Amino acid sequence: MLRIAVVGSGPSGVYAAQALTQQSLVPDVRVHVLDRLPTPYGLVRYGVAPDHEKIKSLQSSLRAVLEDERITFVGHVEVGGDNGLSPDRLRQLYHAVVYCVGAAADRGLSVPGEDLPGSYSATQFVSWYSAHPDAATDAFTLRAGSAVVIGVGNVAVDVARILARGADELRSTDVPPAALSALAGSLVRDVHIAGRRGPSQARFTTKELRELGALPQARMVVDAAELARDPWYAAPAGGQDTPPLPAVVRRNLEVLRGWATAPAAADRLRRIHLRFFLRPVELLERAGRVAGVRFAHTAPDGAGGVRDTGTYEDVEAQLVLRAVGYRGLPLPGLPFDTARGTVPHLAGRVLRDGTPSPGEYVAGWIKRGPTGVIGSNRSCAKETVASLIEDAPLLLRRSVAADPLATLRSWGLRPVAWDGWLAIERAEAALGRSLGRGQVKIPDWEGLLGAAGDDGR
């Protein structure tokens, strides 16, 4: 029997487990999917916006994989960190380990004032309204009148949309009570989304963009003159000096053009200002807190980038959310490429000093960097599993623990099994019923482990 540990129960980890059970070269495979949290699904549970029900429904397909009798969910087991299992210790239990630990760190702005109170990473905000147990339930009070979101990707659009939504619109979702209460009392009236480049280089999808314009309590504010600085906007069909226009860019520009020319809706509670060609150079301070963002105006440089124009603009903000990308974090005991924020690998095989390390593999963002959509993890996992299965004859020569779970418990760990997760689900359904809502997430470690019962204690 080939025993495999997959570290991480998000899409990349679940797809890796699925690929291991679907291959036919090694028929007798058992997979333990380990996660630091007592809950599965990773960013599908704790990263997808609560109002994106269609994407959140992906949990159903991930669930079907984890319910395979050859796959065992092992929650509340940390690998790495101060108190976690080391890779060397983990390899005592399994023939091979596939690390699917994602890219947990946010990229910084590297500007003065970035660490002022009132300045946060977008991930902190997402974790708060997604009820991640590491996030404090009172982390955001939303007493700011103006907020700035730096970045023009889907994460930036997500957090701006949540800021601009009314609490009643989110009551049917699984947003935890404290976050819903804070959103109900929010004083935010202006949300500024700012990117250093033009609209044709923004990373949001057309679907996400249109969702902003469909918010019943917010109106879009877009400056046509600002859009016109973009070469694509000026020549949307592509011309002698412009390559053919990608379809997603064309659709985005059509949406933006419509907003820029539409009459203002004066009856809306909030305004979403979508800004381009603004590079943050400093977060401004007043009374010890963030009070605004100083931006340098940029312009296309003719080579696909931007240059500073020498002019500046200050945007008032008592809340700043940074959404400029993610980076992988080193896992103690594994090699790490600090420049790329990934574990060095060859077709998913971990490289130590340039040589493949038998029994150690990576998949997902820690393998390729924070790129692609959720579905990209499937082909990424299949490549890694193909390498692992090719190595299986060598891996099977190693002696490993007959019962890894028993060994984990003997080491003092208290894994949460699938039954513990099902108990958490039932507790969240009961919490929702008590509040007159659908299922509502339990937002803290004590509540989650208490709901899991003996599994987590």
Side-chain angles (χ1 to χ4, degrees):
M1 179 186 295
L2 182 63
R3 294 189 180 277
I4 310 295
V6 172
V7 181
S9 67
S12 62
V14 174
Y15 291 149
Q18 183 180 45
L20 283 162
T21 57
Q22 288 180 340
Q23 57 77 36
S24 58
L25 295 177
V26 181
D28 196 7
V29 175
R30 295 295 182 271
V31 184
H32 285 182
V33 178
L34 280 58
D35 203 293
R36 183 177 73 90
L37 298 172
T39 58
Y41 312 136
L43 283 179
V44 177
R45 176 174 166 94
Y46 288 119
V48 174
D51 57 347
H52 275 177
E53 294 295 339
K54 185 174 181 180
I55 302 176
K56 289 175 74 69
S57 68
L58 177 62
Q59 291 185 24
S60 296
S61 61
L62 299 181
R63 181 192 195 98
V65 175
L66 292 174
E67 288 180 332
D68 187 301
E69 63 182 7
R70 296 162 294 178
I71 298 173
T72 302
F73 173 68
V74 186
H76 195 214
V77 172
E78 183 173 6
V79 177
D82 295 337
N83 302 310
L85 297 175
S86 68
D88 284 343
R89 207 169 192 195
L90 196 58
R91 288 204 60 209
Q92 297 175 27
L93 308 182
Y94 301 94
H95 292 108
V97 183
V98 184
Y99 293 93
C100 304
V101 294
D106 293 273
R107 292 185 181 274
L109 298 174
S110 300
V111 301
E114 183 174 4
D115 297 324
L116 283 169
S119 169
Y120 304 88
S121 71
T123 298
Q124 290 172 288
F125 189 63
V126 171
S127 294
W128 170 72
Y129 67 61
S130 298
H132 195 291
D134 288 342
T137 56
D138 59 352
F140 293 87
T141 57
L142 304 183
R143 312 313 289 171
S146 177
V148 167
V149 181
I150 300 174
V152 283
N154 281 346
V155 174
V157 173
D158 278 347
V159 298
R161 191 180 64 254
I162 296 300
L163 281 171
R165 271 205 184 281
D168 286 343
E169 300 169 55
L170 294 170
R171 200 171 301 280
S172 62
T173 72
D174 59 7
V175 170
L180 191 65
S181 177
L183 289 164
S186 172
L187 299 182
V188 175
R189 295 297 177 263
D190 289 277
V191 181
H192 306 262
I193 308 173
R196 65 185 179 88
R197 299 194 290 181
S200 66
Q201 295 171 310
R203 297 298 184 91
F204 43 64
T205 61
T206 308
K207 177 181 179 295
E208 291 263 1
L209 190 61
R210 286 175 173 155
E211 285 177 338
L212 287 179
L215 296 176
Q217 295 190 34
R219 67 178 176 91
M220 298 303 302
V221 180
V222 180
D223 186 345
E226 197 167 77
L227 297 180
R229 297 182 204 167
D230 192 306
W232 286 114
Y233 190 85
Q240 183 176 358
D241 300 322
T242 316
L245 187 65
V248 65
V249 176
R250 184 183 67 251
R251 291 193 297 267
N252 286 350
L253 292 180
E254 288 172 354
V255 173
L256 293 170
R257 186 177 290 109
W259 289 342
T261 57
D267 60 337
R268 304 293 175 88
L269 179 66
R270 296 183 174 95
R271 294 171 294 274
I272 302 175
H273 308 258
L274 194 49
R275 304 291 308 276
F276 300 98
F277 298 111
L278 293 177
R279 182 177 68 84
V281 295
E282 182 182 0
L283 270 60
L284 306 175
E285 178 267 339
R286 184 184 304 123
R289 293 184 55 84
V290 69
V293 182
R294 177 159 295 161
F295 291 100
H297 287 283
T298 65
D301 63 3
V306 293
R307 57 176 176 80
D308 286 358
T309 64
T311 60
Y312 298 87
E313 177 180 345
D314 292 349
V315 176
E316 177 188 350
Q318 299 81 39
L319 172 66
V320 175
L321 299 174
R322 311 179 301 273
V324 292
Y326 300 96
R327 279 185 60 83
L329 290 174
L331 194 70
L334 282 184
F336 191 72
D337 183 336
T338 54
R340 296 177 179 272
T342 59
V343 171
H345 71 94
L346 178 64
R349 295 179 176 93
V350 171
L351 296 176
R352 291 185 179 273
D353 298 322
T355 302
S357 175
E360 295 184 309
Y361 304 86
V362 286
W365 280 3
I366 198 63
K367 171 186 173 184
R368 68 182 191 274
T371 61
V373 295
I374 289 176
S376 306
N377 292 298
R378 192 182 295 276
S379 57
C380 176
K382 285 182 177 179
E383 179 191 53
T384 295
V385 167
S387 296
L388 189 157
I389 295 302
E390 185 178 320
D391 298 342
L394 174 63
L395 301 176
L396 283 166
R397 296 176 192 170
R398 295 182 55 247
S399 296
V400 298
D403 187 347
L405 290 180
T407 304
L408 290 174
R409 292 188 178 98
S410 73
W411 290 346
L413 279 74
R414 294 293 179 266
V416 170
W418 191 250
D419 284 347
W421 158 238
L422 296 180
I424 291 173
E425 278 194 318
R426 291 192 295 272
E428 292 185 335
L431 174 60
R433 287 194 300 272
S434 72
L435 298 170
R437 300 168 56 190
Q439 185 159 335
V440 173
K441 287 179 188 168
I442 296 171
D444 59 278
W445 279 99
E446 183 179 3
L448 289 169
L449 295 178
D454 291 342
D455 275 4
R457 295 298 186 180

